[in-house]
Amino acid sequence: MSSNTHTNKPVIGITVGDINSIGAEIIIRTFADNRMLEFCTPVIFASNKTINFYRKLMNENNFNYQSLKDFTRLNHKQVNVFNCWEEEVQITPGVLNEVGGKYAARSLAVAIECLKEGTIEGLITAPIHKKNIQSEQFNYTGHTPYLRDAFDAKDVLMFMTADNMRVGLLTEHVPVSEISKYVTKENILAKLQMMKDSLVKDFGIDKPRIAVLGLNPHAGDDGLIGEEEIKEIIPAIQQAKNNGLLCFGPYSADAFFAREMHSQFDGVLAMYHDQGLIPFKSLATGSGINYTAGLPIVRTSPDHGTAFDIAGKNLADADSFRQAIFTCLDILEKRETYAENTANPLKKIELVSEKLA
């Protein structure tokens, strides 16, 4: 049961990320603008001391919050800080150490429990550092696979979205030397289906057009420069078409983006991280964000990392984080509309018949 019973505003959880990174700064900068409270009820998973440390550092007098230890005291007219730890913690902005990783993991674990309980309805994650967060509890290359396992999802899709483009990744944080072994017909088909489902349910696009990039230069040049296109990618595209998907390719990645072909498609499937993220971060208009498609819950994040080089200097730009919140809210609304439109069609017919009778 959601705690959001007396308001139309969704209750959105926000993890603080690495406490020595820019996470707390972009959160505070975002919610120092009180207009954000018109759209959602934010719950920051951190501690009062962490938030106070950065509020003082930033000298941000417009940011106010109430402390929360359980959701019976949730205030829909204010920012809420859910205390995930009480102990004194040494905060050292810009320093990569195990303290930053430990409390980033704590914030995330508590937020996930609240998502499972239904006390929050969506999740925005501030950046973590993939090295210092590693532990017995967190043995993953990032948020995306961690969330996949936390919600028992068969698979998930890292889906970068902006005003003018959406790019999904076949492989995420995989060494370049190992990418080709993941480029299989089965993997491509699974990601294409996930992208199609997300574009329909999460973005409200009825018949999405999806482009598929090749792995090799010139998309393999008919097998002259690698055979993955012929053996895996083209058969996957053909099978996807047989399954009713509108997908096209494989396209040579350099020409595809140079000619702005991404503007003709609702989604693009890239074979690996840099193939998709370099053009995305270079060409995306507005603020790009990272969305995890394939989960039962809605999770977004800014499209940047911990930025230790500027942490604690009050320089961090909150645009991508703010956009991550708006995208999360949009997807929650689109999912609700999709559920209403596809719910028990016989019931709808009965209701229409009753009205006409």
Side-chain angles (χ1 to χ4, degrees):
M1 176 69 180
S2 167
S3 62
N4 186 21
T5 51
H6 63 284
T7 173
N8 292 324
K9 293 192 301 180
V11 181
I12 301 297
I14 296 155
T15 60
V16 74
D18 191 303
I19 62 170
N20 296 322
S21 78
I22 60 168
E25 291 179 66
I26 57 177
I27 293 167
I28 290 167
R29 181 156 286 137
T30 297
F31 290 105
D33 184 341
N34 286 326
R35 292 174 298 180
M36 293 299 294
L37 295 173
E38 295 170 19
F39 304 105
C40 64
T41 300
V43 180
I44 303 166
F45 290 88
S47 72
N48 292 344
K49 288 169 185 170
T50 303
I51 298 302
N52 278 333
F53 177 93
Y54 281 101
R55 181 172 66 169
K56 285 177 186 169
L57 183 146
M58 296 169 71
N59 195 23
E60 187 50 83
N61 298 321
N62 291 325
F63 177 83
N64 297 296
Y65 70 91
Q66 75 146 15
S67 181
L68 202 65
K69 287 190 178 173
D70 67 75
F71 278 81
T72 59
R73 306 291 300 277
L74 186 68
N75 186 340
H76 289 278
K77 295 179 179 176
Q78 211 168 4
V79 175
N80 300 267
V81 173
F82 191 93
N83 276 275
C84 303
W85 61 89
E86 295 290 345
E87 62 265 28
E88 284 285 345
V89 176
Q90 183 73 32
I91 300 171
T92 47
V95 176
L96 173 64
N97 60 27
E98 62 181 22
V99 172
K102 176 183 175 181
Y103 291 98
R106 177 90 59 90
S107 169
L108 184 59
V110 176
I112 284 172
E113 284 308 307
C114 291
L115 274 167
K116 289 179 176 178
E117 291 164 6
T119 45
I120 59 175
E121 293 153 74
L123 181 66
I124 323 293
T125 56
I128 58 174
H129 193 280
K130 292 166 186 60
K131 181 79 174 165
N132 73 346
I133 198 170
Q134 297 300 319
S135 68
E136 285 181 19
Q137 290 75 36
F138 196 105
N139 186 21
Y140 297 91
T141 55
H143 280 111
T144 305
Y146 179 79
L147 288 160
R148 177 197 65 209
D149 286 2
F151 288 94
D152 297 321
K154 188 179 174 189
D155 197 6
V156 288
L157 174 73
M158 187 172 171
F159 207 8
M160 310 300 293
T161 79
D163 292 345
N164 64 330
M165 61 199 298
R166 299 182 194 88
V167 178
L169 302 183
L170 178 73
T171 60
E172 294 145 21
H173 300 118
V174 170
V176 173
S177 59
E178 295 178 22
I179 290 167
S180 61
K181 71 182 181 188
Y182 294 97
V183 180
T184 65
K185 179 182 173 185
E186 291 72 24
N187 285 350
I188 296 165
L189 272 171
K191 297 288 187 182
L192 283 172
Q193 188 63 53
M194 220 176 304
M195 185 181 287
K196 186 248 182 181
D197 290 345
S198 178
L199 289 167
V200 172
K201 296 174 188 174
D202 301 331
F203 295 93
I205 301 165
D206 286 339
K207 292 182 178 174
R209 289 167 48 85
I210 299 172
V212 181
L213 302 181
L215 172 67
N216 297 295
H218 305 181
D221 255 352
D222 295 324
L224 285 173
I225 315 172
E227 297 186 330
E228 286 85 359
E229 284 78 11
I230 290 171
K231 290 183 175 176
E232 307 292 344
I233 301 174
I234 293 170
I237 293 169
Q238 194 54 55
Q239 182 63 55
K241 286 180 177 176
N242 294 345
N243 296 348
L245 275 70
L246 295 173
C247 61
F248 308 87
Y251 295 102
S252 178
D254 57 349
F256 181 85
F257 290 107
R259 294 171 187 162
E260 295 191 3
M261 291 173 71
H262 56 274
S263 63
Q264 299 168 31
F265 295 92
D266 301 299
V268 180
L269 183 66
M271 294 295 110
Y272 58 95
H273 186 279
D274 285 13
Q275 184 188 55
L277 265 66
I278 290 173
F280 180 83
K281 292 188 177 185
S282 304
L283 303 173
T285 56
S287 294
I289 67 110
N290 177 5
Y291 170 55
T292 308
L295 292 172
I297 55 96
V298 178
R299 175 262 172 166
T300 61
S301 76
D303 71 347
H304 56 73
T306 45
F308 285 126
D309 56 325
I310 59 167
K313 297 177 181 175
N314 204 9
L315 297 172
D317 187 330
D319 284 355
S320 181
F321 185 81
R322 192 179 299 110
Q323 187 56 49
I325 295 170
F326 287 130
T327 303
C328 179
L329 296 172
D330 283 345
I331 292 172
L332 284 169
E333 193 176 327
K334 292 278 194 326
R335 281 192 178 188
E336 198 173 315
T337 303
Y338 178 83
E340 286 170 4
N341 291 345
T342 55
N344 200 337
L346 288 174
K347 275 260 166 60
K348 284 188 178 178
I349 292 167
E350 285 168 15
L351 286 170
V352 172
S353 301
E354 283 171 19
K355 284 179 183 175
L356 294 174

